[in-house]
PDB file of all heavy atoms in Angstrom:
ATOM      1  N   GLU A 959      12.778   7.044  10.252  1.00  0.00           N
ATOM      2  CA  GLU A 959      13.103   5.628  10.068  1.00  0.00           C
ATOM      3  C   GLU A 959      11.892   4.798   9.669  1.00  0.00           C
ATOM      4  O   GLU A 959      12.031   3.819   8.957  1.00  0.00           O
ATOM      5  CB  GLU A 959      13.719   5.052  11.347  1.00  0.00           C
ATOM      6  CG  GLU A 959      15.026   5.699  11.731  1.00  0.00           C
ATOM      7  CD  GLU A 959      16.100   5.579  10.654  1.00  0.00           C
ATOM      8  OE1 GLU A 959      16.211   4.503  10.043  1.00  0.00           O
ATOM      9  OE2 GLU A 959      16.822   6.561  10.431  1.00  0.00           O
ATOM     10  N   GLU A 960      10.720   5.177  10.164  1.00  0.00           N
ATOM     11  CA  GLU A 960       9.495   4.429   9.864  1.00  0.00           C
ATOM     12  C   GLU A 960       8.437   5.382   9.321  1.00  0.00           C
ATOM     13  O   GLU A 960       8.197   6.442   9.882  1.00  0.00           O
ATOM     14  CB  GLU A 960       8.949   3.729  11.113  1.00  0.00           C
ATOM     15  CG  GLU A 960       7.686   2.937  10.804  1.00  0.00           C
ATOM     16  CD  GLU A 960       7.112   2.240  12.025  1.00  0.00           C
ATOM     17  OE1 GLU A 960       6.657   2.942  12.946  1.00  0.00           O
ATOM     18  OE2 GLU A 960       7.131   1.002  12.033  1.00  0.00           O
ATOM     19  N   LEU A 961       7.823   4.949   8.248  1.00  0.00           N
ATOM     20  CA  LEU A 961       6.756   5.700   7.593  1.00  0.00           C
ATOM     21  C   LEU A 961       5.464   4.922   7.789  1.00  0.00           C
ATOM     22  O   LEU A 961       5.415   3.721   7.563  1.00  0.00           O
ATOM     23  CB  LEU A 961       7.070   5.822   6.096  1.00  0.00           C
ATOM     24  CG  LEU A 961       6.008   6.398   5.178  1.00  0.00           C
ATOM     25  CD1 LEU A 961       5.681   7.836   5.566  1.00  0.00           C
ATOM     26  CD2 LEU A 961       6.468   6.312   3.733  1.00  0.00           C
ATOM     27  N   VAL A 962       4.430   5.619   8.241  1.00  0.00           N
ATOM     28  CA  VAL A 962       3.121   4.987   8.414  1.00  0.00           C
ATOM     29  C   VAL A 962       2.158   5.646   7.435  1.00  0.00           C
ATOM     30  O   VAL A 962       1.999   6.870   7.432  1.00  0.00           O
ATOM     31  CB  VAL A 962       2.599   5.117   9.864  1.00  0.00           C
ATOM     32  CG1 VAL A 962       1.247   4.427  10.008  1.00  0.00           C
ATOM     33  CG2 VAL A 962       3.605   4.550  10.861  1.00  0.00           C
ATOM     34  N   LEU A 963       1.551   4.816   6.601  1.00  0.00           N
ATOM     35  CA  LEU A 963       0.608   5.271   5.583  1.00  0.00           C
ATOM     36  C   LEU A 963      -0.720   4.545   5.748  1.00  0.00           C
ATOM     37  O   LEU A 963      -0.775   3.463   6.326  1.00  0.00           O
ATOM     38  CB  LEU A 963       1.147   4.953   4.180  1.00  0.00           C
ATOM     39  CG  LEU A 963       2.467   5.585   3.783  1.00  0.00           C
ATOM     40  CD1 LEU A 963       2.983   4.955   2.498  1.00  0.00           C
ATOM     41  CD2 LEU A 963       2.304   7.083   3.620  1.00  0.00           C
ATOM     42  N   THR A 964      -1.754   5.119   5.198  1.00  0.00           N
ATOM     43  CA  THR A 964      -3.064   4.478   5.131  1.00  0.00           C
ATOM     44  C   THR A 964      -3.534   4.511   3.690  1.00  0.00           C
ATOM     45  O   THR A 964      -3.481   5.557   3.047  1.00  0.00           O
ATOM     46  CB  THR A 964      -4.090   5.225   6.010  1.00  0.00           C
ATOM     47  OG1 THR A 964      -3.662   5.164   7.366  1.00  0.00           O
ATOM     48  CG2 THR A 964      -5.462   4.611   5.902  1.00  0.00           C
ATOM     49  N   LEU A 965      -3.946   3.354   3.180  1.00  0.00           N
ATOM     50  CA  LEU A 965      -4.588   3.288   1.869  1.00  0.00           C
ATOM     51  C   LEU A 965      -6.087   3.374   2.098  1.00  0.00           C
ATOM     52  O   LEU A 965      -6.627   2.736   3.000  1.00  0.00           O
ATOM     53  CB  LEU A 965      -4.232   1.985   1.154  1.00  0.00           C
ATOM     54  CG  LEU A 965      -2.769   1.816   0.772  1.00  0.00           C
ATOM     55  CD1 LEU A 965      -2.541   0.448   0.139  1.00  0.00           C
ATOM     56  CD2 LEU A 965      -2.310   2.912  -0.171  1.00  0.00           C
ATOM     57  N   THR A 966      -6.757   4.180   1.281  1.00  0.00           N
ATOM     58  CA  THR A 966      -8.185   4.404   1.463  1.00  0.00           C
ATOM     59  C   THR A 966      -8.950   4.102   0.174  1.00  0.00           C
ATOM     60  O   THR A 966      -8.364   3.764  -0.844  1.00  0.00           O
ATOM     61  CB  THR A 966      -8.438   5.874   1.876  1.00  0.00           C
ATOM     62  OG1 THR A 966      -7.967   6.732   0.834  1.00  0.00           O
ATOM     63  CG2 THR A 966      -7.755   6.215   3.190  1.00  0.00           C
ATOM     64  N   GLY A 967     -10.255   4.267   0.266  1.00  0.00           N
ATOM     65  CA  GLY A 967     -11.099   4.075  -0.909  1.00  0.00           C
ATOM     66  C   GLY A 967     -11.025   2.661  -1.432  1.00  0.00           C
ATOM     67  O   GLY A 967     -11.092   1.696  -0.681  1.00  0.00           O
ATOM     68  N   ALA A 968     -10.837   2.533  -2.721  1.00  0.00           N
ATOM     69  CA  ALA A 968     -10.834   1.226  -3.379  1.00  0.00           C
ATOM     70  C   ALA A 968      -9.709   0.317  -2.889  1.00  0.00           C
ATOM     71  O   ALA A 968      -9.801  -0.893  -3.025  1.00  0.00           O
ATOM     72  CB  ALA A 968     -10.716   1.400  -4.897  1.00  0.00           C
ATOM     73  N   PHE A 969      -8.660   0.888  -2.288  1.00  0.00           N
ATOM     74  CA  PHE A 969      -7.533   0.070  -1.837  1.00  0.00           C
ATOM     75  C   PHE A 969      -7.646  -0.340  -0.379  1.00  0.00           C
ATOM     76  O   PHE A 969      -6.826  -1.093   0.117  1.00  0.00           O
ATOM     77  CB  PHE A 969      -6.210   0.797  -2.073  1.00  0.00           C
ATOM     78  CG  PHE A 969      -5.934   0.997  -3.524  1.00  0.00           C
ATOM     79  CD1 PHE A 969      -6.068   2.238  -4.103  1.00  0.00           C
ATOM     80  CD2 PHE A 969      -5.586  -0.073  -4.324  1.00  0.00           C
ATOM     81  CE1 PHE A 969      -5.837   2.426  -5.454  1.00  0.00           C
ATOM     82  CE2 PHE A 969      -5.357   0.093  -5.682  1.00  0.00           C
ATOM     83  CZ  PHE A 969      -5.484   1.348  -6.247  1.00  0.00           C
ATOM     84  N   ARG A 970      -8.660   0.140   0.309  1.00  0.00           N
ATOM     85  CA  ARG A 970      -8.857  -0.218   1.715  1.00  0.00           C
ATOM     86  C   ARG A 970      -9.338  -1.664   1.780  1.00  0.00           C
ATOM     87  O   ARG A 970     -10.465  -1.973   1.455  1.00  0.00           O
ATOM     88  CB  ARG A 970      -9.889   0.714   2.348  1.00  0.00           C
ATOM     89  CG  ARG A 970     -10.032   0.512   3.816  1.00  0.00           C
ATOM     90  CD  ARG A 970     -10.995   1.575   4.366  1.00  0.00           C
ATOM     91  NE  ARG A 970     -11.460   1.141   5.644  1.00  0.00           N
ATOM     92  CZ  ARG A 970     -12.595   0.494   5.861  1.00  0.00           C
ATOM     93  NH1 ARG A 970     -13.401   0.242   4.853  1.00  0.00           N
ATOM     94  NH2 ARG A 970     -12.936   0.115   7.055  1.00  0.00           N
ATOM     95  N   GLY A 971      -8.444  -2.575   2.141  1.00  0.00           N
ATOM     96  CA  GLY A 971      -8.796  -3.986   2.250  1.00  0.00           C
ATOM     97  C   GLY A 971      -8.865  -4.727   0.927  1.00  0.00           C
ATOM     98  O   GLY A 971      -9.267  -5.876   0.881  1.00  0.00           O
ATOM     99  N   ASP A 972      -8.472  -4.087  -0.157  1.00  0.00           N
ATOM    100  CA  ASP A 972      -8.532  -4.705  -1.482  1.00  0.00           C
ATOM    101  C   ASP A 972      -7.441  -5.766  -1.629  1.00  0.00           C
ATOM    102  O   ASP A 972      -6.318  -5.579  -1.156  1.00  0.00           O
ATOM    103  CB  ASP A 972      -8.328  -3.616  -2.547  1.00  0.00           C
ATOM    104  CG  ASP A 972      -8.470  -4.159  -3.945  1.00  0.00           C
ATOM    105  OD1 ASP A 972      -9.608  -4.215  -4.442  1.00  0.00           O
ATOM    106  OD2 ASP A 972      -7.441  -4.517  -4.525  1.00  0.00           O
ATOM    107  N   PRO A 973      -7.734  -6.889  -2.296  1.00  0.00           N
ATOM    108  CA  PRO A 973      -6.704  -7.913  -2.499  1.00  0.00           C
ATOM    109  C   PRO A 973      -5.506  -7.407  -3.310  1.00  0.00           C
ATOM    110  O   PRO A 973      -4.422  -7.962  -3.230  1.00  0.00           O
ATOM    111  CB  PRO A 973      -7.424  -9.026  -3.266  1.00  0.00           C
ATOM    112  CG  PRO A 973      -8.865  -8.762  -3.123  1.00  0.00           C
ATOM    113  CD  PRO A 973      -9.030  -7.305  -2.807  1.00  0.00           C
ATOM    114  N   GLY A 974      -5.687  -6.352  -4.084  1.00  0.00           N
ATOM    115  CA  GLY A 974      -4.595  -5.793  -4.873  1.00  0.00           C
ATOM    116  C   GLY A 974      -3.719  -4.826  -4.094  1.00  0.00           C
ATOM    117  O   GLY A 974      -2.711  -4.354  -4.606  1.00  0.00           O
ATOM    118  N   ALA A 975      -4.084  -4.529  -2.853  1.00  0.00           N
ATOM    119  CA  ALA A 975      -3.321  -3.568  -2.049  1.00  0.00           C
ATOM    120  C   ALA A 975      -1.853  -3.961  -1.888  1.00  0.00           C
ATOM    121  O   ALA A 975      -0.981  -3.091  -1.987  1.00  0.00           O
ATOM    122  CB  ALA A 975      -3.990  -3.347  -0.703  1.00  0.00           C
ATOM    123  N   PRO A 976      -1.508  -5.236  -1.655  1.00  0.00           N
ATOM    124  CA  PRO A 976      -0.084  -5.573  -1.541  1.00  0.00           C
ATOM    125  C   PRO A 976       0.718  -5.243  -2.799  1.00  0.00           C
ATOM    126  O   PRO A 976       1.873  -4.827  -2.720  1.00  0.00           O
ATOM    127  CB  PRO A 976      -0.092  -7.080  -1.264  1.00  0.00           C
ATOM    128  CG  PRO A 976      -1.404  -7.324  -0.593  1.00  0.00           C
ATOM    129  CD  PRO A 976      -2.355  -6.378  -1.287  1.00  0.00           C
ATOM    130  N   TYR A 977       0.114  -5.415  -3.954  1.00  0.00           N
ATOM    131  CA  TYR A 977       0.786  -5.054  -5.199  1.00  0.00           C
ATOM    132  C   TYR A 977       1.085  -3.555  -5.209  1.00  0.00           C
ATOM    133  O   TYR A 977       2.198  -3.133  -5.524  1.00  0.00           O
ATOM    134  CB  TYR A 977      -0.067  -5.428  -6.405  1.00  0.00           C
ATOM    135  CG  TYR A 977       0.578  -5.046  -7.712  1.00  0.00           C
ATOM    136  CD1 TYR A 977       1.514  -5.887  -8.305  1.00  0.00           C
ATOM    137  CD2 TYR A 977       0.277  -3.842  -8.340  1.00  0.00           C
ATOM    138  CE1 TYR A 977       2.140  -5.529  -9.488  1.00  0.00           C
ATOM    139  CE2 TYR A 977       0.896  -3.480  -9.517  1.00  0.00           C
ATOM    140  CZ  TYR A 977       1.820  -4.319 -10.092  1.00  0.00           C
ATOM    141  OH  TYR A 977       2.447  -3.952 -11.262  1.00  0.00           O
ATOM    142  N   VAL A 978       0.091  -2.750  -4.861  1.00  0.00           N
ATOM    143  CA  VAL A 978       0.254  -1.294  -4.825  1.00  0.00           C
ATOM    144  C   VAL A 978       1.340  -0.928  -3.813  1.00  0.00           C
ATOM    145  O   VAL A 978       2.203  -0.088  -4.088  1.00  0.00           O
ATOM    146  CB  VAL A 978      -1.091  -0.604  -4.480  1.00  0.00           C
ATOM    147  CG1 VAL A 978      -0.890   0.876  -4.192  1.00  0.00           C
ATOM    148  CG2 VAL A 978      -2.088  -0.811  -5.603  1.00  0.00           C
ATOM    149  N   GLN A 979       1.327  -1.570  -2.646  1.00  0.00           N
ATOM    150  CA  GLN A 979       2.305  -1.272  -1.598  1.00  0.00           C
ATOM    151  C   GLN A 979       3.731  -1.566  -2.051  1.00  0.00           C
ATOM    152  O   GLN A 979       4.636  -0.747  -1.832  1.00  0.00           O
ATOM    153  CB  GLN A 979       1.994  -2.091  -0.341  1.00  0.00           C
ATOM    154  CG  GLN A 979       0.698  -1.696   0.318  1.00  0.00           C
ATOM    155  CD  GLN A 979       0.255  -2.696   1.380  1.00  0.00           C
ATOM    156  OE1 GLN A 979       0.896  -3.724   1.603  1.00  0.00           O
ATOM    157  NE2 GLN A 979      -0.847  -2.396   2.036  1.00  0.00           N
ATOM    158  N   HIS A 980       3.951  -2.710  -2.672  1.00  0.00           N
ATOM    159  CA  HIS A 980       5.311  -3.137  -3.006  1.00  0.00           C
ATOM    160  C   HIS A 980       5.817  -2.653  -4.356  1.00  0.00           C
ATOM    161  O   HIS A 980       7.009  -2.420  -4.519  1.00  0.00           O
ATOM    162  CB  HIS A 980       5.417  -4.663  -2.934  1.00  0.00           C
ATOM    163  CG  HIS A 980       5.202  -5.172  -1.550  1.00  0.00           C
ATOM    164  ND1 HIS A 980       6.116  -5.008  -0.544  1.00  0.00           N
ATOM    165  CD2 HIS A 980       4.149  -5.806  -0.993  1.00  0.00           C
ATOM    166  CE1 HIS A 980       5.651  -5.533   0.572  1.00  0.00           C
ATOM    167  NE2 HIS A 980       4.454  -6.025   0.331  1.00  0.00           N
ATOM    168  N   ARG A 981       4.922  -2.504  -5.332  1.00  0.00           N
ATOM    169  CA  ARG A 981       5.357  -2.149  -6.685  1.00  0.00           C
ATOM    170  C   ARG A 981       5.197  -0.673  -7.030  1.00  0.00           C
ATOM    171  O   ARG A 981       5.787  -0.200  -8.004  1.00  0.00           O
ATOM    172  CB  ARG A 981       4.580  -2.977  -7.715  1.00  0.00           C
ATOM    173  CG  ARG A 981       4.852  -4.437  -7.619  1.00  0.00           C
ATOM    174  CD  ARG A 981       6.268  -4.707  -7.968  1.00  0.00           C
ATOM    175  NE  ARG A 981       6.382  -6.061  -8.488  1.00  0.00           N
ATOM    176  CZ  ARG A 981       7.496  -6.586  -8.886  1.00  0.00           C
ATOM    177  NH1 ARG A 981       8.593  -5.882  -8.847  1.00  0.00           N
ATOM    178  NH2 ARG A 981       7.543  -7.810  -9.324  1.00  0.00           N
ATOM    179  N   ILE A 982       4.372   0.040  -6.253  1.00  0.00           N
ATOM    180  CA  ILE A 982       4.150   1.453  -6.554  1.00  0.00           C
ATOM    181  C   ILE A 982       4.626   2.346  -5.415  1.00  0.00           C
ATOM    182  O   ILE A 982       5.446   3.233  -5.603  1.00  0.00           O
ATOM    183  CB  ILE A 982       2.666   1.709  -6.887  1.00  0.00           C
ATOM    184  CG1 ILE A 982       2.289   0.928  -8.151  1.00  0.00           C
ATOM    185  CG2 ILE A 982       2.386   3.204  -7.046  1.00  0.00           C
ATOM    186  CD1 ILE A 982       0.822   0.907  -8.471  1.00  0.00           C
ATOM    187  N   VAL A 983       4.108   2.101  -4.206  1.00  0.00           N
ATOM    188  CA  VAL A 983       4.428   2.977  -3.082  1.00  0.00           C
ATOM    189  C   VAL A 983       5.904   2.857  -2.672  1.00  0.00           C
ATOM    190  O   VAL A 983       6.601   3.870  -2.558  1.00  0.00           O
ATOM    191  CB  VAL A 983       3.503   2.696  -1.879  1.00  0.00           C
ATOM    192  CG1 VAL A 983       3.914   3.524  -0.673  1.00  0.00           C
ATOM    193  CG2 VAL A 983       2.042   2.983  -2.254  1.00  0.00           C
ATOM    194  N   ARG A 984       6.390   1.625  -2.437  1.00  0.00           N
ATOM    195  CA  ARG A 984       7.773   1.445  -1.959  1.00  0.00           C
ATOM    196  C   ARG A 984       8.802   2.091  -2.896  1.00  0.00           C
ATOM    197  O   ARG A 984       9.664   2.844  -2.441  1.00  0.00           O
ATOM    198  CB  ARG A 984       8.085  -0.027  -1.741  1.00  0.00           C
ATOM    199  CG  ARG A 984       9.502  -0.272  -1.216  1.00  0.00           C
ATOM    200  CD  ARG A 984       9.734  -1.697  -0.786  1.00  0.00           C
ATOM    201  NE  ARG A 984       8.847  -2.138   0.263  1.00  0.00           N
ATOM    202  CZ  ARG A 984       8.957  -1.813   1.554  1.00  0.00           C
ATOM    203  NH1 ARG A 984       9.917  -1.017   1.944  1.00  0.00           N
ATOM    204  NH2 ARG A 984       8.100  -2.279   2.438  1.00  0.00           N
TER     205      ARG A 984
END
């Protein structure tokens, strides 16, 4: 029911991370 992921490297704390989360990962 719940997936837990970690973004690392350039996406760790990057302002573009929400874009990656919603437009690519989801």
Side-chain angles (χ1 to χ4, degrees):
E959 297 301 319
E960 181 181 66
L961 172 62
V962 181
L963 299 169
T964 298
L965 294 177
T966 61
F969 295 106
R970 186 175 162 264
D972 184 86
Y977 179 84
V978 170
Q979 293 168 358
H980 296 288
R981 296 295 207 180
I982 297 171
V983 175
R984 181 170 301 283

